[in-house]
Amino acid sequence: MHIHELADCCTFDEVAVGGNLPATEEYRAFLKKLHPKQILNMRITIPLYRVRYSYMTRRGNVRQSEKFFFATAGEHEELHLEVEMKLKDWFEDENRERPYRAVSNVEILDIGRVAYATLPL
């Protein structure tokens, strides 16, 4: 992927005192002015994890399924917590949108790294 394509796909927040400031257009323009040889890391690697979980259907049946998760960083202490929060949020949204298919008692059974996604620049 060319650095210009990456700039078009990303949103940017500038680091500021007390938080971040939206700065997408500024940094898109900045990156498009750079020559690709000015970028030191020419590959972005993102770990992909398989999350196996169980849940109870509205009819009381226990089911198991899996989802996949691109981690924002490599293996870290809060990975399980990060996955748990994302899965919880996903099920809350699903239950709100489809109350007739609501599930409960979601429990993570296993989180395992399955691959690395590499994006060459």
Side-chain angles (χ1 to χ4, degrees), residues 29-77:
F30 171 75
L31 284 176
K32 288 181 180 185
K33 290 179 187 175
L34 290 178
H35 189 278
K37 289 191 175 188
Q38 287 181 281
I39 306 294
L40 292 176
N41 56 335
M42 295 306 292
R43 292 179 178 272
I44 298 172
T45 303
I46 308 165
L48 176 65
Y49 289 87
R50 176 184 293 125
V51 180
R52 292 190 175 119
Y53 61 93
S54 66
Y55 61 95
M56 185 174 293
T57 66
R58 190 166 183 180
R59 294 182 177 173
N61 300 317
V62 176
R63 299 278 189 255
Q64 290 186 4
S65 190
E66 60 185 28
K67 296 210 176 295
F68 292 87
F69 179 75
F70 283 106
T72 55
E75 191 88 27
H76 57 358
E77 298 126 14

Side-chain angles (χ1 to χ4, degrees), residues 84-94 96:
E84 187 176 350
M85 287 175 23
K86 293 286 186 190
L87 192 63
K88 179 182 175 228
D89 291 345
W90 188 86
F91 274 111
E92 284 178 0
D93 291 343
E94 284 295 306
R96 188 174 31 259

Side-chain angles (χ1 to χ4, degrees), residues 97-117:
E97 290 178 21
R98 296 173 187 83
Y100 55 91
R101 296 191 66 181
V103 300
S104 60
N105 298 339
V106 178
E107 183 179 325
I108 294 175
L109 304 174
D110 180 50
I111 300 172
R113 187 174 38 224
V114 293
Y116 289 100

